[in-house]
Amino acid sequence: MNSDVTNILEAIESGDQQAAEQLLPIVYQELRRLAASRMTREKAGHTLQPTALVHEAFMRLVGGTDRQKWSGREHFFAAAAESMRRILIESARRRNAEKRGGGMVRADLGENDAAVCPQDDETLLALNEALIKLQDHDARLAKLVELRYFTGMTIDETAAVLGVSSRTVKRNWTYARAWLRNQMDGE
């Protein structure tokens, strides 16, 4: 299956319009699992559903006029994680536009709670701001947080996507959580 995904991604890069239609059935279940994992932690009454999140992320990845360069399955899923994160942040910003105010709540990123989502938009937005700063500080750590936190990938899945050992992911996850917590507490 990995080579199928890679071959289809290469066809999409070269402009094959039919390739995107072939890709969705192959990656849909994995994207749906990631989105569902992420959405289970959203507050009740959230209007964005996992299926909509998958479709929106997929369209952003392969449906636009700009051709993406994919270096394989891992790169595609890493991009999907980033796309899902952006969609959720945009959704939170839209909801929050009407109701400005304080009341930020600390978001603890637990050791095993990869996809724990803040229960309010302000905290999600504060986390996003801290994640942007982390991106400037260390892009690899920011990618790890996107994969673990925003898509709910396990340590082993994250290690496979990033091409590092599980021990490295565990060590970096601990550091990234502490770094983000420090940034969010300081604001």
Side-chain angles (χ1 to χ4, degrees):
M1 180 174 108
N2 287 347
S3 63
D4 290 344
V5 171
T6 302
N7 291 337
I8 292 171
L9 291 171
E10 289 171 359
I12 291 171
E13 282 179 34
S14 64
D16 183 349
Q17 298 296 326
Q18 306 302 320
E21 294 175 17
Q22 296 171 350
L23 180 63
L24 185 58
I26 294 173
V27 299
Y28 182 80
Q29 288 304 321
E30 180 68 11
L31 289 175
R32 180 75 168 77
R33 184 188 66 77
L34 294 174
S37 171
R38 173 63 183 92
M39 297 301 294
T40 59
R41 302 292 198 258
E42 284 290 325
K43 64 182 179 183
H46 196 287
T47 58
L48 190 61
Q49 298 299 314
T51 301
L53 181 58
V54 167
H55 287 270
E56 178 68 22
F58 187 81
M59 289 307 298
R60 288 184 182 194
L61 292 170
V62 299
T65 56
D66 296 334
R67 290 203 173 85
Q68 301 288 328
K69 299 269 186 210
W70 308 108
S71 59
R73 181 184 186 280
E74 292 79 14
H75 184 215
F76 177 80
F77 281 104
E82 183 176 339
S83 182
M84 286 182 194
R85 171 183 158 231
R86 289 180 184 196
I87 292 164
L88 291 169
I89 295 302
E90 289 166 7
S91 177
R93 283 186 177 140
R94 277 192 304 276
R95 288 189 309 270
N96 198 37
E98 301 167 0
K99 52 178 183 174
R100 301 280 184 221
M104 280 197 229
V105 178
R106 179 179 170 158
D108 285 325
L109 305 178
E111 177 72 30
N112 295 314
D113 297 335
V116 174
C117 176
Q119 292 299 310
D120 60 82
D121 294 337
E122 291 84 13
T123 305
L124 180 61
L125 294 173
L127 174 61
N128 185 57
E129 291 301 316
L131 191 56
I132 290 168
K133 291 177 185 175
L134 180 60
Q135 172 72 28
D136 293 339
H137 175 71
D138 188 327
R140 290 176 309 111
L141 290 178
K143 183 55 66 181
L144 181 145
V145 171
E146 286 179 351
L147 294 171
R148 292 273 299 138
Y149 186 80
F150 285 95
T151 64
M153 286 186 172
T154 66
I155 295 283
D156 292 335
E157 289 170 335
T158 304
V161 168
L162 296 177
V164 298
S165 71
S166 294
R167 285 185 65 182
T168 298
V169 170
K170 286 178 188 176
R171 183 176 57 251
N172 289 344
W173 178 235
T174 299
Y175 176 80
R177 285 188 337 231
W179 196 95
L180 290 168
R181 187 175 301 125
N182 185 43
Q183 289 295 308
M184 292 175 70
D185 286 348
E187 293 180 356

